[in-house]
Amino acid sequence: MASSLIGRQLVLSLQKNMWLGAAGCRYVSKAAPQTLVECEYDGPSMKTSVPGPRSQELTKQLGEIQNVGAINFFCNYEESRGNYLVDVDGNRMLDIYTQISSIPIGYNHPALLKLMTNPNNLSTLVNRPALGILPPENFPDKITESLISVAPSGMTRVQTMACGSCSNENAYKAMFIWYRNKERGHNTPSEEDLNTCMINKSPGCPDLSILSFMGGFHGRTMGTLATTHSKAIHKLDVPSFDWPIAPFPTLQYPLEEFTRENEQEEARCLEEVEDLIVKWRQKGRPVAGIVIEPIQAEGGDNHASANFFKGLRNIASKHGCAFHVDEVQTGGGTTGKFWAHEHWGMDDPADIVSFSKKLLTGGYYHKYELQADKPYRIFNTWMGDPTKNLILAEVLNVIRREHLLQEVNRSGKVLLNGLYDLQARYPGVLSRARGQGTFCAIDVCSDETRNSILLKARDKGILLGGCGDRSIRFRPALVFKEHHVHMFLNIFNDVLAQIK
Ligand SMILES: Cc1ncc(COP(=O)(O)O)c(C=O)c1O
């Protein structure tokens, strides 16, 4: 089915944005010239409210087996294409949330379908190896072609993993192992180390910590959860570590009006980080590593300046802590650079950079020193999935061939300017429009209004996500073009006009 749809090339109207013409008094957003012939639909199309009857039926069926509280609706991935997600009731929605920011080049990209139908790739699809012990012949080449070709500055080593949480979890272990070997001065554990680690006691299981930030999100496994501080529901009833938590800067907007206040706020947070490092060392639980997102995503799209991150990187180096940048949500081009930390303009931005989502495979890059010294210290059965490296290599080709980072910068500018306009039009509802590339967000006056906007937008064919207490986050794929932005802004304006 999908291949027949792919063959049905849809020529987009060059003249006008259909949404502008559809209803009387619409938003001012202009239609961009559409010069592309894409394998994509020309706009949302809604048949039912969402979830429709078929989705409700399936939710009930699955509810007999698992908790379905988080399910939005069921999807028809065969019919979904480009920026459009189609559901089982035949509703077609412009997807600006993309499976929690994890679709790099839209649904059913022809280049990926072609790759998957290539008989040479069949054995990769059919056989899932235990990569840590029995990798396939083409694994070094594929990993070089994919992950190493986009390695962050100063990093030539990468460890693949399955998901974001387990990438971070293993990155933390790598930081602890590195730190203990540094303390010992060598990598040979004592008899006491070996005996005590078996009963969860020091010195084999040392009292070390990872410093994280209030509002941060690094995953839901036991170690990463100790560094996640975005919402109580993620953490409730789960035992955790007593590790230091620093404040993340709360910037005031518009940035250009609050330069001094924001500088002071960032300086305050950096001071607190240094205090915590000293306090935890005195407490006998030294900070082995600092973990931070370049933009706190789940926690509410909280930004900080390049100077803040430079300061933090310097503090980590000064106190001998590893610096781990979690790019699980920001990585892969969505901020207009392949890695969000590139915006800091540093040659040596981090010791570890973790990724997942748009990179399709999880994993982390690291400095040579953070390579675990013995086999099986950083290990699990699958250690990633070679099919994901195969797809990623092609995704990167598409990003280069279609100049998608330039597209992101172009669309991102239009999106952010549109959000500025809308917040000026609806000052009682919207505030704090912010973003980098298409990684944008806006605050809504209350949690309830935010949730109501999300549902109303969905019924009009626009899929968005929430984050933090009352923010809306925009996470389109890299193929989200200027005309998609205008289409979104027009519909979003209609939704806001209803709310006002
Ligand atoms: C910054 C960040 N780190 C880690 C994770 C955890 O990734 P996963 O859900 O794949 O475990 C997420 C997920 O949203 C994330 O945004």
Side-chain angles (χ1 to χ4, degrees), residues 151-157 347-350 366-368:
S153 165
M155 293 188 190
T156 53
R157 302 187 73 82
D347 293 334
D348 184 25
H366 58 87
K367 291 275 189 63
Y368 183 76

PDB file of all heavy atoms in Angstrom, residues 151-157 347-350 366-368:
ATOM      1  N   ALA A 151      29.944  13.260  14.213  1.00  0.00           N
ATOM      2  CA  ALA A 151      30.442  13.288  15.596  1.00  0.00           C
ATOM      3  C   ALA A 151      30.692  14.723  16.063  1.00  0.00           C
ATOM      4  O   ALA A 151      31.197  15.542  15.306  1.00  0.00           O
ATOM      5  CB  ALA A 151      31.729  12.482  15.696  1.00  0.00           C
ATOM      6  N   PRO A 152      30.328  15.023  17.312  1.00  0.00           N
ATOM      7  CA  PRO A 152      30.597  16.360  17.846  1.00  0.00           C
ATOM      8  C   PRO A 152      32.104  16.646  17.911  1.00  0.00           C
ATOM      9  O   PRO A 152      32.914  15.702  17.947  1.00  0.00           O
ATOM     10  CB  PRO A 152      30.028  16.299  19.273  1.00  0.00           C
ATOM     11  CG  PRO A 152      29.073  15.161  19.279  1.00  0.00           C
ATOM     12  CD  PRO A 152      29.583  14.182  18.274  1.00  0.00           C
ATOM     13  N   SER A 153      32.420  17.910  17.945  1.00  0.00           N
ATOM     14  CA  SER A 153      33.816  18.348  17.945  1.00  0.00           C
ATOM     15  C   SER A 153      34.616  17.655  19.062  1.00  0.00           C
ATOM     16  O   SER A 153      34.168  17.598  20.207  1.00  0.00           O
ATOM     17  CB  SER A 153      33.810  19.872  18.152  1.00  0.00           C
ATOM     18  OG  SER A 153      35.059  20.321  18.501  1.00  0.00           O
ATOM     19  N   GLY A 154      35.762  17.129  18.708  1.00  0.00           N
ATOM     20  CA  GLY A 154      36.657  16.504  19.694  1.00  0.00           C
ATOM     21  C   GLY A 154      36.300  15.066  20.035  1.00  0.00           C
ATOM     22  O   GLY A 154      36.920  14.474  20.918  1.00  0.00           O
ATOM     23  N   MET A 155      35.308  14.495  19.362  1.00  0.00           N
ATOM     24  CA  MET A 155      34.905  13.126  19.718  1.00  0.00           C
ATOM     25  C   MET A 155      34.999  12.184  18.523  1.00  0.00           C
ATOM     26  O   MET A 155      34.426  12.457  17.470  1.00  0.00           O
ATOM     27  CB  MET A 155      33.482  13.116  20.255  1.00  0.00           C
ATOM     28  CG  MET A 155      33.413  13.849  21.569  1.00  0.00           C
ATOM     29  SD  MET A 155      31.853  13.689  22.359  1.00  0.00           S
ATOM     30  CE  MET A 155      32.092  14.898  23.649  1.00  0.00           C
ATOM     31  N   THR A 156      35.711  11.097  18.723  1.00  0.00           N
ATOM     32  CA  THR A 156      35.873  10.132  17.635  1.00  0.00           C
ATOM     33  C   THR A 156      35.343   8.767  18.041  1.00  0.00           C
ATOM     34  O   THR A 156      35.453   7.807  17.290  1.00  0.00           O
ATOM     35  CB  THR A 156      37.363   9.979  17.282  1.00  0.00           C
ATOM     36  OG1 THR A 156      38.062   9.680  18.493  1.00  0.00           O
ATOM     37  CG2 THR A 156      37.927  11.227  16.641  1.00  0.00           C
ATOM     38  N   ARG A 157      34.785   8.678  19.245  1.00  0.00           N
ATOM     39  CA  ARG A 157      34.314   7.378  19.718  1.00  0.00           C
ATOM     40  C   ARG A 157      32.831   7.454  20.042  1.00  0.00           C
ATOM     41  O   ARG A 157      32.344   8.460  20.560  1.00  0.00           O
ATOM     42  CB  ARG A 157      35.099   6.943  20.955  1.00  0.00           C
ATOM     43  CG  ARG A 157      36.590   6.866  20.697  1.00  0.00           C
ATOM     44  CD  ARG A 157      37.326   6.272  21.876  1.00  0.00           C
ATOM     45  NE  ARG A 157      37.111   4.836  22.011  1.00  0.00           N
ATOM     46  CZ  ARG A 157      37.775   3.913  21.323  1.00  0.00           C
ATOM     47  NH1 ARG A 157      38.662   4.270  20.409  1.00  0.00           N
ATOM     48  NH2 ARG A 157      37.546   2.631  21.521  1.00  0.00           N
ATOM     49  N   ASP A 347      35.296  24.678  21.010  1.00  0.00           N
ATOM     50  CA  ASP A 347      36.061  23.574  20.396  1.00  0.00           C
ATOM     51  C   ASP A 347      35.939  22.310  21.230  1.00  0.00           C
ATOM     52  O   ASP A 347      36.047  21.206  20.710  1.00  0.00           O
ATOM     53  CB  ASP A 347      37.555  23.948  20.318  1.00  0.00           C
ATOM     54  CG  ASP A 347      37.777  25.076  19.347  1.00  0.00           C
ATOM     55  OD1 ASP A 347      36.956  25.216  18.417  1.00  0.00           O
ATOM     56  OD2 ASP A 347      38.747  25.844  19.534  1.00  0.00           O
ATOM     57  N   ASP A 348      35.778  22.485  22.528  1.00  0.00           N
ATOM     58  CA  ASP A 348      35.768  21.338  23.437  1.00  0.00           C
ATOM     59  C   ASP A 348      34.497  21.411  24.305  1.00  0.00           C
ATOM     60  O   ASP A 348      34.575  21.658  25.508  1.00  0.00           O
ATOM     61  CB  ASP A 348      37.036  21.410  24.310  1.00  0.00           C
ATOM     62  CG  ASP A 348      37.144  20.206  25.212  1.00  0.00           C
ATOM     63  OD1 ASP A 348      36.586  19.143  24.868  1.00  0.00           O
ATOM     64  OD2 ASP A 348      37.783  20.330  26.283  1.00  0.00           O
ATOM     65  N   PRO A 349      33.332  21.216  23.667  1.00  0.00           N
ATOM     66  CA  PRO A 349      32.085  21.509  24.381  1.00  0.00           C
ATOM     67  C   PRO A 349      31.713  20.498  25.464  1.00  0.00           C
ATOM     68  O   PRO A 349      30.982  20.844  26.390  1.00  0.00           O
ATOM     69  CB  PRO A 349      31.024  21.481  23.266  1.00  0.00           C
ATOM     70  CG  PRO A 349      31.612  20.613  22.196  1.00  0.00           C
ATOM     71  CD  PRO A 349      33.092  20.784  22.278  1.00  0.00           C
ATOM     72  N   ALA A 350      32.197  19.249  25.363  1.00  0.00           N
ATOM     73  CA  ALA A 350      31.701  18.228  26.286  1.00  0.00           C
ATOM     74  C   ALA A 350      32.655  17.040  26.363  1.00  0.00           C
ATOM     75  O   ALA A 350      33.534  16.872  25.510  1.00  0.00           O
ATOM     76  CB  ALA A 350      30.333  17.741  25.804  1.00  0.00           C
ATOM     77  N   HIS A 366      31.894   9.949  23.184  1.00  0.00           N
ATOM     78  CA  HIS A 366      32.675  10.276  24.368  1.00  0.00           C
ATOM     79  C   HIS A 366      34.137  10.503  24.007  1.00  0.00           C
ATOM     80  O   HIS A 366      34.625  10.040  22.950  1.00  0.00           O
ATOM     81  CB  HIS A 366      32.561   9.160  25.413  1.00  0.00           C
ATOM     82  CG  HIS A 366      33.016   7.814  24.916  1.00  0.00           C
ATOM     83  ND1 HIS A 366      34.321   7.393  24.979  1.00  0.00           N
ATOM     84  CD2 HIS A 366      32.326   6.810  24.324  1.00  0.00           C
ATOM     85  CE1 HIS A 366      34.414   6.178  24.461  1.00  0.00           C
ATOM     86  NE2 HIS A 366      33.222   5.798  24.040  1.00  0.00           N
ATOM     87  N   LYS A 367      34.808  11.208  24.913  1.00  0.00           N
ATOM     88  CA  LYS A 367      36.250  11.390  24.781  1.00  0.00           C
ATOM     89  C   LYS A 367      36.934  10.045  25.004  1.00  0.00           C
ATOM     90  O   LYS A 367      36.400   9.183  25.721  1.00  0.00           O
ATOM     91  CB  LYS A 367      36.735  12.365  25.864  1.00  0.00           C
ATOM     92  CG  LYS A 367      36.278  13.789  25.684  1.00  0.00           C
ATOM     93  CD  LYS A 367      37.240  14.504  24.744  1.00  0.00           C
ATOM     94  CE  LYS A 367      36.979  15.972  24.678  1.00  0.00           C
ATOM     95  NZ  LYS A 367      37.167  16.648  25.960  1.00  0.00           N
ATOM     96  N   TYR A 368      38.132   9.918  24.508  1.00  0.00           N
ATOM     97  CA  TYR A 368      38.869   8.660  24.622  1.00  0.00           C
ATOM     98  C   TYR A 368      38.981   8.214  26.084  1.00  0.00           C
ATOM     99  O   TYR A 368      38.799   7.043  26.415  1.00  0.00           O
ATOM    100  CB  TYR A 368      40.261   8.803  23.998  1.00  0.00           C
ATOM    101  CG  TYR A 368      41.014   7.506  24.026  1.00  0.00           C
ATOM    102  CD1 TYR A 368      40.696   6.495  23.129  1.00  0.00           C
ATOM    103  CD2 TYR A 368      41.995   7.273  24.992  1.00  0.00           C
ATOM    104  CE1 TYR A 368      41.348   5.270  23.174  1.00  0.00           C
ATOM    105  CE2 TYR A 368      42.651   6.050  25.045  1.00  0.00           C
ATOM    106  CZ  TYR A 368      42.321   5.061  24.132  1.00  0.00           C
ATOM    107  OH  TYR A 368      42.962   3.853  24.190  1.00  0.00           O
TER     108      TYR A 368
END
